[in-house]
């Protein structure tokens, strides 16, 4: 027995399907729900297919009527799905834009620009002046061996000069360098003369803190080795440097002693009516040259070591070295 289906039945089913579909599509919240609806309505096992399946049971002349009606429905549902998909996507985008929006007219928070610490600018200025005189820059480690810090600089064990440079020792015998002079040795190991080099860096001494002493401070080392260098070259270089740094101030050389230079001198500048010691210097001791495998009959040179804090304090009229290390912005912002 075959079940007969009437044209009216199928038409009514299609109309119902259309109304149902329109409602469901309008209510779909997102793309996934719409896709689910599309499969349920227009898919192979969907509701439209079911109606069309029953079409074969209609009398022949009625079939195209339902076929046409079904096509109209299919197009309508496709269009509704596409429109709704566009709408939910636009809504999602609008929501995201609203959530991520920036108020570009909002007043900004002030982030104050930083600037160089006065000690760093002092080092840069010193390096600059020596660069202009043809010097290269080099650096060495702050943790040194006894050899580089003392022995190679003609300060053997038990030499009284060691007493003036007591420092901090590591368990393995290494130490925190007491001056930048070891960079002279390190540089000469890797660079045959002629040499013109400066080496800025941090140095350490076992010193109590007061207005003029700090256990950590900074030096710049100067070294020139060449044929025919003598004390006049040292004097000329140091004077030219000091006059560039401080302006045209009186400069005086005083005889002094350092184990690694001979003769040695300390240099003073006249600043606000009194003589201020600013650096040590001298002609590189032949013992240091020989230790580096250089023939002192052929090569000679001069060296100097200057305390950066002293230069910085004189330049800016700072009365207490501790101000340079306490990071008080009320002080630092003046520079
Ligand atoms: N290294 C010495 C110190 O820290 C300073 C110094 C003196 C360095 C004379 C030199 C020099 O290169 O020639 O006390």
């Amino acid at each position: 027995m075959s079940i007969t289906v009437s044209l009216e039945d199928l038409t009514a089913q299609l109309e119902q399907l259309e109304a149902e579909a329109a409602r469901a599509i309008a209510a779909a919240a997102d793309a996934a729900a719409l896709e689910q609806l599309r499969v349920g309505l227009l898919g192979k096992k969907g509701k439209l297919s079911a109606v069309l399946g029953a079409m074969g049971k209609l009398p022949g002349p009625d079939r195209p009527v339902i076929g046409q009606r079904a096509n109209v429905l299919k197009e309508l549902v496709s269009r509704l799905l596409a429109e709704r998909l566009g709408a939910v996507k636009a809504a999602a985008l609008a929501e995201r834009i609203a959530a991520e929006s920036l108020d570009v007219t909002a007043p900004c928070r002030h982030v104050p620009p930083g600037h160089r610490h006065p000690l760093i600018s002092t080092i840069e200025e010193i390096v600059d002046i020596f660069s202009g005189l043809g010097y290269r820059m080099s650096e060495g480690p702050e943790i040194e061996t006894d050899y580089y810090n003392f022995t190679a600089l003609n300060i053997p064990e038990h030499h009284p000069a060691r007493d003036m440079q007591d420092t901090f020792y590591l368990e393995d015998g290494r130490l925190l360098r007491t001056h930048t002079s070891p960079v002279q040795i390190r540089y000469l190991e890797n660079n045959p003369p002629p040499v013109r080099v400066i080496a800025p860096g941090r140095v350490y001494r076992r010193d109590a803190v007061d207005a003029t002493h700090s256990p950590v401070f900074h030096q710049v080392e100067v070294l020139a080795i060449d044929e025919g260098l003598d004390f006049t070259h040292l004097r000329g270089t140091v004077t030219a440097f000091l006059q560039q740094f401080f302006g045209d101030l009186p400069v005086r050389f005083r005889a002094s002693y350092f184990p690694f230079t001979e003769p040695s001198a300390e240099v003073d500048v006249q600043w606000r009516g009194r003589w201020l010691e600013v650096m040590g210097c001298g002609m590189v001791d032949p013992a240091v040259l020989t230790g580096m495998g250089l023939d002192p009959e052929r090569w000679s040179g001069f060296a100097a070591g200057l305390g950066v804090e002293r230069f910085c304090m004189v330049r800016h009229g700072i009365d207490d070295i501790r101000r340079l290390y306490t990071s008080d912005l009320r002080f630092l912002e003046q520079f």
Side-chain angles (χ1 to χ4, degrees):
M1 189 183 91
S2 71
I3 303 162
T4 56
V5 181
S6 72
L7 181 62
E8 289 72 31
D9 275 353
L10 287 187
T11 307
Q13 279 183 35
L14 287 174
E15 260 153 30
Q16 199 192 332
L17 187 56
E18 183 178 309
E20 229 176 74
R23 231 180 300 120
I25 291 170
D30 54 27
L34 286 168
E35 176 59 12
Q36 219 177 335
L37 282 175
R38 191 190 62 77
V39 172
L41 292 165
L42 308 180
K44 268 188 203 147
K45 294 177 184 162
K47 291 183 175 162
L48 185 62
S49 293
V51 177
L52 291 176
M55 198 168 72
K57 293 171 183 154
L58 279 180
D62 287 346
R63 290 180 197 167
V65 180
I66 287 302
Q68 217 179 354
R69 180 70 184 83
N71 278 337
V72 170
L73 172 62
K74 190 173 168 185
E75 263 163 42
L76 174 72
V77 168
S78 298
R79 187 166 54 76
L80 290 178
L81 283 169
E83 280 172 8
R84 181 67 190 148
L85 185 64
V88 297
K89 278 187 175 168
L93 181 64
E95 203 174 304
R96 218 181 93 195
I97 288 171
E100 291 177 1
S101 74
L102 293 175
D103 179 0
V104 293
T105 66
C108 67
R109 233 181 321 138
H110 178 61
V111 180
H115 61 76
R116 295 261 194 286
H117 190 280
L119 273 178
I120 299 299
S121 5
T122 303
I123 290 175
E124 285 180 351
E125 201 178 327
I126 294 168
V127 168
D128 246 33
I129 294 173
F130 276 100
S131 301
L133 295 173
Y135 283 69
R136 290 211 191 175
M137 198 184 94
S138 185
E139 280 176 313
E142 289 172 28
I143 298 175
E144 262 302 3
T145 63
D146 187 277
Y147 170 77
Y148 288 107
N149 196 79
F150 294 124
T151 318
L153 289 164
N154 204 29
I155 316 175
E157 217 181 328
H158 307 305
H159 191 290
R162 287 201 179 201
D163 291 348
M164 286 150 45
Q165 302 200 357
D166 196 8
T167 183
F168 304 89
Y169 286 84
L170 278 71
E171 271 171 12
D172 63 8
R174 286 184 303 162
L175 48 88
L176 299 187
R177 68 178 177 190
T178 58
H179 48 182
T180 44
S181 301
V183 188
Q184 292 188 27
I185 305 301
R186 289 183 175 275
Y187 193 81
L188 285 176
E189 276 180 347
N190 298 308
N191 300 274
V195 151
R196 276 173 185 69
V197 68
I198 58 165
R202 206 174 275 149
V203 300
Y204 302 81
R205 299 273 170 98
R206 191 171 166 273
D207 257 334
V209 180
D210 64 24
T212 53
H213 292 86
S214 159
V216 187
F217 57 104
H218 299 75
Q219 290 187 334
V220 175
E221 194 73 15
V222 182
L223 176 69
I225 307 273
D226 208 333
E227 285 170 311
L229 289 183
D230 60 37
F231 203 88
T232 63
H233 299 104
L234 166 60
R235 224 190 136 101
T237 303
V238 166
T239 306
F241 160 69
L242 290 174
Q243 290 188 342
Q244 268 200 60
F245 190 91
F246 288 115
D248 207 1
L249 293 181
V251 174
R252 125 182 135 177
F253 286 66
R254 267 184 299 113
S256 184
Y257 170 78
F258 299 101
F260 35 91
T261 46
E262 180 60 33
S264 305
E266 273 167 313
V267 186
D268 305 332
V269 293
Q270 202 169 53
W271 180 260
R272 294 185 180 157
R274 60 192 189 102
W275 290 105
L276 267 183
E277 181 195 322
V278 290
M279 64 204 285
C281 62
M283 299 307 295
V284 177
D285 196 293
V288 174
L289 293 172
T290 313
M292 297 312 297
L294 298 174
D295 177 5
E297 296 298 321
R298 178 175 175 203
W299 301 105
S300 60
F302 58 83
L306 49 97
V308 175
E309 278 76 356
R310 176 53 74 84
F311 277 73
C312 181
M313 289 168 76
V314 171
R315 157 64 60 81
H316 297 294
I318 299 167
D319 56 349
D320 191 323
I321 198 171
R322 287 168 288 199
R323 291 192 188 282
L324 293 172
Y325 306 118
T326 41
S327 301
D328 183 340
L329 285 181
R330 290 170 304 174
F331 169 74
L332 291 174
E333 275 168 357
Q334 302 175 84
F335 300 95

